[in-house]
Amino acid sequence: MKKALFLLGASLFLAAGSSSCSKNDPVIFDDAFVYLADANGASASAVDWDSQNYLATYYVYLVSPAISEDVQVTYDLVVGSGLAEGVDFKTVPSTASPITFTKGIYTMPIRIEWLKHELDATKDNTVRIVLRSCSDPSVQIGKPGPDRLGAEYTITKR
């Protein structure tokens, strides 16, 4: 009797284990892509207006199989009407567009130094980093999907 119960229990355990729910299966991306995020994985952040010489780093990530040639990614800074480069912020020249990914490198920084300057609250006090193009046509801009998440990063100076 004990053997029969053990066999029945083992059979039920194996049957339950072999039929898994696909809801929690990981999503696998086959496409190569680049996207923007900060160190916490966010696609937006805020900077205080009175930050003086605050150096912030934003990252461009390349998700692809091993690369054999350098991959260049261009980006633009889209500055809102309430901010001005050289007054509210400065881009660190060594991280200016284009960003070059060399063999074995899959994360590159964009650094912006934020400067103390009072704001006009009625204006657009944002800077958007927008990925524009990639030298490898097989690498898409933004994460896969219709929303292309990560194609831009928004910083609000407040």
Side-chain angles (χ1 to χ4, degrees), residues 26-106:
V27 176
I28 298 172
F29 296 113
D30 292 333
D31 301 328
F33 58 96
V34 291
Y35 71 98
L36 285 161
D38 58 24
N40 298 319
S43 61
S45 63
V47 174
D48 291 332
W49 71 269
D50 61 350
S51 297
Q52 180 62 30
N53 300 329
Y54 168 62
L55 185 62
T57 304
Y58 312 96
Y59 296 96
V60 181
Y61 295 95
L62 171 63
V63 179
S64 76
I67 56 174
S68 57
E69 296 181 5
D70 289 355
V71 174
Q72 285 194 334
V73 176
T74 60
Y75 71 87
D76 290 330
L77 294 180
V78 179
V79 182
S81 61
L83 301 179
E85 189 161 5
V87 176
D88 293 287
F89 69 94
K90 291 190 286 187
T91 305
V92 175
S94 63
T95 64
S97 184
I99 297 283
T100 302
F101 291 90
T102 57
K103 186 176 180 178
I105 304 297
Y106 295 91

Side-chain angles (χ1 to χ4, degrees), residues 116-128:
K116 184 176 182 175
H117 184 251
E118 288 197 41
L119 301 176
D120 181 347
T122 64
K123 294 187 177 180
D124 177 6
N125 295 308
T126 63
V127 173
R128 291 184 309 127

